[in-house]
Amino acid sequence: NKMSEVSEALQKEWARFVEQENGKGKINGAVHELTNRCWDTCIKSTSTNALDGREKACLQNCVERFLDVTTHTIRRMQNSKA
C-alpha cells in the first residue's frame, strides 16, 4: 500500500532528523560546559576588554584538556561496543 510506504519513509526521515538534532544539542551542551568551566577557571577579572597572557594560556590549555578527555572518552566507548 502506497500510504504505508510513505508513512514508513516519513517515520524514518523523522527519526534521522531527531537523531541529528539530539546530536547538535549534545554538541551545544558540551560547548556551553566547556565555556563555563574554562571561563570560571581562567578569567579572574573582566575589568578590561583584553585577556592577559596567563588567561590566554590558561584558556588554551583548558580547551585542549577538555578535547583530550572528550576524545579519550569517545574512543573508550567505541572500543567497548566493538
Side-chain angles (χ1 to χ4, degrees):
N1 166 339
K2 292 282 186 194
M3 280 306 279
S4 65
E5 290 175 17
V6 169
S7 178
E8 187 176 326
L10 286 173
Q11 287 176 352
K12 287 180 181 178
E13 185 62 31
W14 179 252
R16 276 193 294 273
F17 172 77
V18 168
E19 186 176 327
Q20 289 173 345
E21 291 302 306
N22 285 339
K24 290 177 188 177
K26 288 178 183 178
I27 290 170
N28 287 335
V31 169
H32 184 72
E33 178 186 345
L34 169 67
T35 301
N36 285 338
R37 181 175 297 163
C38 292
W39 180 270
D40 292 344
T41 300
C42 299
I43 307 303
K44 303 303 178 199
S45 171
T46 56
S47 60
T48 66
N49 290 336
L51 300 173
D52 67 29
R54 283 187 302 247
E55 290 171 331
K56 287 179 185 178
C58 180
L59 285 170
Q60 182 175 352
N61 185 53
C62 183
V63 170
E64 288 173 358
R65 297 299 69 81
F66 185 87
L67 293 174
D68 288 345
V69 168
T70 302
T71 301
H72 178 73
T73 302
I74 290 169
R75 285 186 183 143
R76 288 199 58 164
M77 289 173 64
Q78 289 173 339
N79 289 339
S80 69
K81 289 181 181 180

